[in-house]
Amino acid sequence: MLVFYEERLAFLAVPKTGSTAYHTALRDRADIVVTHPPELKHAPVRRYDRFFQNIFRKMYDTEMEILAVVREPVDWLGSWYRFRSRADLIGHVHSTRDMSFDTFVQAYMTNPRPDFADVGSQSQFFRTRSNGRGATHIFKYENQDKILDFLQARLNMQIDLPQENVSPSGDLTLTPETRQKFHKRHAEEFALHDAAL
């Protein structure tokens, strides 16, 4: 999470949407930088509103606009799957090393989810409190030029974005049945992505 007080902007870090690269590029410019623990670095809208936004309201009688990035849902799960296939997770309950992506997505659709597929939900990340404002600017992950243009204009600076935290490569093939089932069962994820800039 990055907060730019003068610009009234909070950049929330949806997991697996390139947030680490933005943190690296902007941490020296931000007024508040939260990198640890992960529950705060990746604080969803509800948690941000309850704790951080509340401070700005009570102490400074202002609110930050919220910026966040959302990824196409199958691609987002693919990034989690590849990230959890890395060598240092072999033998861990989160490892996806010896399974197909199709198996991973099928497991994601079960309730309860097994540990390796329990990666949360982008739509849940954006849930608001009953009196919360929600995210102001939601960009598609694949529209990096739009994200950079917005940030460079808002922060009045040139941004050089490094590549960081890149997941290993992997086969992201899904059967048509699994893809259709995922689209139907998690339609809200696709609606969120479709509505983003």
Side-chain angles (χ1 to χ4, degrees):
M1 178 194 311
L2 300 168
V3 177
F4 306 91
Y5 180 76
E6 293 299 326
E7 290 79 11
R8 301 297 192 267
L9 183 67
F11 189 164
L12 300 193
V14 179
K16 309 312 295 170
T17 61
S19 58
T20 301
Y22 282 101
H23 271 239
T24 299
L26 298 172
R27 64 182 167 219
D28 292 338
R29 173 67 171 73
D31 298 298
I32 299 173
V33 179
V34 181
T35 57
H36 292 290
E39 294 79 13
L40 289 181
K41 175 186 178 182
H42 296 293
V45 170
R46 287 173 66 90
R47 189 174 305 141
Y48 169 81
D49 188 60
R50 182 175 177 196
F51 297 105
F52 293 90
Q53 193 79 289
N54 211 28
I55 292 170
F56 296 120
R57 285 189 198 111
K58 289 184 176 180
M59 292 183 68
Y60 304 106
D61 193 30
T62 191
E63 289 189 8
M64 302 296 115
E65 292 180 9
I66 295 173
L67 162 70
V69 178
V70 66
R71 197 163 179 163
E72 192 281 328
V74 175
D75 187 47
W76 184 73
L77 283 182
S79 184
W80 273 113
Y81 165 76
R82 291 184 291 113
F83 180 71
R84 290 188 164 186
S85 72
R86 63 192 196 276
D88 65 312
L89 279 184
I90 293 174
H92 192 278
V93 295
H94 291 148
S95 178
T96 58
R97 175 58 72 101
D98 296 319
M99 72 182 65
S100 69
F101 181 51
D102 198 86
T103 299
F104 176 77
V105 174
Q106 287 284 351
Y108 181 81
M109 292 188 284
T110 62
N111 187 14
R113 292 177 181 138
D115 289 335
F116 66 83
D118 193 10
V119 296
S121 156
Q122 291 183 106
S123 63
Q124 288 299 308
F125 184 96
F126 287 95
R127 274 187 48 226
T128 60
R129 298 189 322 145
S130 59
N131 61 345
R133 284 182 55 194
T136 317
H137 310 280
I138 304 175
F139 288 93
K140 289 180 170 84
Y141 171 82
E142 59 269 27
N143 290 342
Q144 292 296 319
D145 287 346
K146 284 187 179 180
I147 302 167
L148 282 170
D149 287 347
F150 175 85
L151 284 168
Q152 289 175 150
R154 186 72 174 255
L155 302 177
N156 192 28
M157 66 178 288
Q158 179 68 35
I159 299 171
D160 296 315
L161 200 61
Q163 275 209 330
E164 300 225 5
N165 205 22
V166 178
S167 298
S169 61
D171 180 7
L172 300 182
T173 303
L174 289 179
T175 65
E177 296 78 18
T178 299
R179 186 176 293 275
Q180 183 178 19
K181 182 179 175 183
F182 179 62
H183 271 263
K184 185 175 181 181
R185 191 166 291 185
H186 294 282
E188 70 281 1
E189 304 296 322
F190 293 92
L192 171 67
H193 180 259
D194 289 346
L197 301 171

